[in-house]
Structure formats: structure tokens, C-alpha cells
């Protein structure tokens, strides 16, 4: 599946989740069981073709606008690098009930999946917010720990949205084209907390990728899980260049604001940055 292909079947969504998991593993962004992916969609699907057991669950976040949606999600402790090779054993699917407080969880008996990722509340909150505000029928979310972005978030000089973007968007002309809103920065908050969940939802309205300080990132896409992965990879590459520049004593110039403005103008990038 290409990065801009809108999935039309559950098999295509699963294929894209698997491809994203493999790529995130390639860039060392999902060590062991870290990282998680979900995708919600509103078309009917026969889940018995993929899973063979189901049970009723209470959702960790009320999501009334997801009623009738199916949410494919990776399992707690499941390795993202294994999703592509064996999706049935590492994914579950939640069909959200009317009211959005509960759902039917489908998964594979004797697979690796026992329950959704511990970040499921944050995933549901973002899906609910985007579906409620924009009425979209498909949405994907990824949480990962790309090492160079996460490392920069430990350095005070990068601990704000303007400083972070000034650093990581200046190394390749493609980056501003692909990340036109830049990367949102959130100060450290306890993982899984209501505080982080609320701040993450608010920032993902303005950005398509957000850096959680000293933890990792969350990215979203209306197109596919692989497209959300692309956004992480673009941001992580910018952070890698910034890290390399720190290691070389800050000798590289990078693209100037004037040069970035020329890129934005040439490609008609809808951004408030570098104009």
C-alpha cells in the first residue's frame, strides 16, 4: 500500500499497520513492546474472518461519536515489528457501542493480544475529537519513541514548540512541505494520565505530530497508518541531523529562514511557519 492510499478494506488497514510497525522498528522507535498503533473506520466489516473470540469491555475514554466505528488497535506488550508478519495474533478490534462507553473486543484466542495498549485512552480521545469535529470516516494514530526526537526533548534549549521546529525543520527542504504545521511540543506529563491525554488532544488539533517530552511522539493521519509513520520519520530525520550537528560542534548552517521561505513559497505550503 502506498503512503497516500486511502484504505478501503480491513485487510488494507491491517497491511498499513504492519508496514508502519516494521518501519518504526527499522528506525529504532519501538523497542521491545513499546509503541502502539490504532485506526478507526466506519464501514462494516466481518471480523470473524480475522479473529475467533470476543468479549464486552468498558472503554477507557467515553467516545460517543465513535459509536458504530471499528477501532483496530495493537495489544499491550505486543511488538510492533511482529504485527506485519502475524497481524491476527497482535491486533484486536473494538466495535464501539451506542453511547461510546463500551464495545465488543474481538481478538485471536491463544494469540499475543490480551488487551488493548495501555495508551488506548489517548488513542480513543484523539479519534473521538477528530471524528466529532470533522466527521471523518477513517483516522489513524501512532505512538512511538523515536530516539533522536526524544533525546532532544531532554535538552532545555529545545523545550518549546518554536525552538524545536526551528531546530528540526532546517535540515531538508522536504520537511516543511511534509510537516507544514511543524511538531507540537508538550512538557513532561505522566504517561497515561488525564493531563497528558487532554493536552495531546488539544495539540493534535493544530499539529499532525506532537512530541511528548522525555517520552515519545504521537502522530495522526486521515489517510493511513503508514502516512502517520511517515510524519514520525520526517520529524525523526530532522532530529537526527540536529543531533549530528550537536556532535560536530554546531558547525553546520542548515537552511536559513530565507531559504525555507523560498521553499514554502515555491511549493505553496499552507503554513504559518517561515512566511
Amino acid at each position: 500500500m502506498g503512503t497516500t492510499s486511502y484504505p478501503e478494506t480491513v485487510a488494507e488497514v491491517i497491511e498499513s499497520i504492519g508496514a508502519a510497525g516494521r518501519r518504526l522498528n527499522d528506525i529504532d522507535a519501538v523497542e521491545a513492546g513499546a509503541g502502539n498503533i490504532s485506526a478507526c473506520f466506519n464501514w462494516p466489516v466481518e471480523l470473524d474472518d480475522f479473529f475467533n473470540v470476543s468479549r464486552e469491555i468498558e472503554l477507557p475514554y467515553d467516545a460517543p461519536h465513535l459509536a458504530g466505528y471499528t477501532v483496530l488497535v495493537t495489544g499491550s506488550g505486543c511488538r510492533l515489528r511482529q504485527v506485519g508478519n502475524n497481524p491476527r495474533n497482535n491486533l484486536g478490534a473494538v466495535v464501539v457501542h451506542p453511547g461510546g462507553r463500551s464495545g465488543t473486543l474481538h481478538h485471536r484466542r491463544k494469540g499475543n493480544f490480551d488487551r488493548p495498549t495501555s495508551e488506548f485512552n489517548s488513542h480513543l480521545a484523539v479519534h473521538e475529537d477528530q471524528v466529532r469535529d470533522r466527521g471523518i470516516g477513517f483516522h489513524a494514530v501512532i505512538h512511538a519513541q523515536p530516539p533522536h526526537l526524544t533525546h532532544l526533548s531532554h535538552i532545555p534549549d529545545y523545550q518549546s514548540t518554536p525552538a524545536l521546529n526551528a531546530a528540526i525543520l532546517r535540515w531538508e527542504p522536504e520537511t516543511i512541505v511534509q510537516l507544514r504545521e511543524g511538531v507540537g511540543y508538550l512538557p513532561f506529563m505522566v504517561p497515561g494520565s488525564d493531563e497528558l491525554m487532554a493536552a495531546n488532544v488539544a495539540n493534535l488539533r493544530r499539529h499532525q505530530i506532537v512530541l511528548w517530552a522525555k517520552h515519545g511522539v504521537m502522530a495522526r493521519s486521515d489517510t493511513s497508518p503508514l502516512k502517520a509513520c511517515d510524519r514520525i520519520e520526517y520529524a525523526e530525520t530532522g532530529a537526527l541531523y540536529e543531533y549530528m550537528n550537536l556532535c560536530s560542534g554546531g558547525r553546520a548552517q542548515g537552511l536559513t529562514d530565507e531559504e525555507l521561505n523560498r521553499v514554502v513559497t515555491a511549493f505553496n505550503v499552507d503554513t504559518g511557519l517561515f512566511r
Side-chain angles (χ1 to χ4, degrees), residues 26-271:
D26 289 344
I27 64 173
D28 298 323
V30 287
E31 69 277 5
N36 32 77
I37 303 176
S38 71
C40 72
F41 49 90
N42 65 356
W43 63 81
V45 60
E46 181 50 67
L47 294 172
D48 290 342
D49 293 342
F50 298 92
F51 309 111
N52 58 15
V53 66
S54 65
R55 67 179 188 267
E56 303 305 299
I57 63 169
E58 295 297 314
L59 299 184
Y61 182 85
D62 288 354
H65 292 86
L66 296 184
Y69 279 68
T70 297
V71 184
L72 276 172
V73 60
T74 52
S76 178
C78 291
R79 297 172 179 85
L80 290 192
R81 60 181 174 268
Q82 295 178 336
V83 173
N85 295 331
N86 198 341
R88 287 171 173 81
N89 280 0
N90 294 281
L91 288 173
V94 178
V95 179
V96 181
H97 293 167
R101 295 184 176 182
S102 62
T104 302
L105 170 63
H106 300 258
H107 61 100
R108 193 80 176 170
R109 183 181 287 111
K110 297 183 179 180
N112 300 324
F113 187 102
D114 178 61
R115 62 184 185 278
T117 170
S118 60
E119 302 282 359
F120 195 34
N121 62 336
S122 289
H123 285 251
L124 285 172
V126 175
H127 291 315
E128 166 73 8
D129 190 69
Q130 294 293 321
V131 169
R132 181 192 64 222
D133 287 357
R134 300 193 292 128
I136 52 179
F138 177 88
H139 194 247
V141 169
I142 296 178
H143 168 55
Q145 287 89 20
H148 298 93
L149 276 168
T150 304
H151 177 72
L152 291 184
S153 76
H154 286 263
I155 302 173
D157 287 350
Y158 301 97
Q159 291 175 345
S160 72
T161 296
L164 178 68
N165 285 293
I168 68 174
L169 298 180
R170 63 182 177 137
W171 297 109
E172 291 183 336
E174 293 88 349
T175 312
I176 185 60
V177 177
Q178 299 296 329
L179 302 177
R180 63 185 184 274
E181 307 98 343
V183 178
Y185 174 86
L186 294 179
F188 179 78
M189 302 175 200
V190 175
S193 66
D194 289 343
E195 178 188 31
L196 175 58
M197 181 177 63
N200 182 60
V201 167
N203 273 265
L204 281 171
R205 293 173 190 152
R206 299 189 294 271
H207 306 274
Q208 296 185 79
I209 176 171
V210 170
L211 175 59
W212 302 351
K214 306 177 182 180
H215 184 175
V217 300
M218 183 165 275
R220 64 173 184 85
S221 170
D222 300 350
T223 305
S224 70
L226 196 52
K227 186 63 176 180
C229 176
D230 287 347
R231 295 194 168 109
I232 295 173
E233 190 169 1
Y234 277 113
E236 172 66 356
T237 299
L240 171 59
Y241 276 111
E242 184 66 16
Y243 172 79
M244 291 166 60
N245 193 42
L246 290 174
C247 291
S248 65
R251 298 173 62 190
Q253 181 185 30
L255 293 159
T256 66
D257 283 0
E258 187 274 333
E259 289 168 334
L260 282 165
N261 182 62
R262 287 164 57 191
V263 172
V264 167
T265 301
F267 288 89
N268 194 29
V269 181
D270 182 15
T271 180

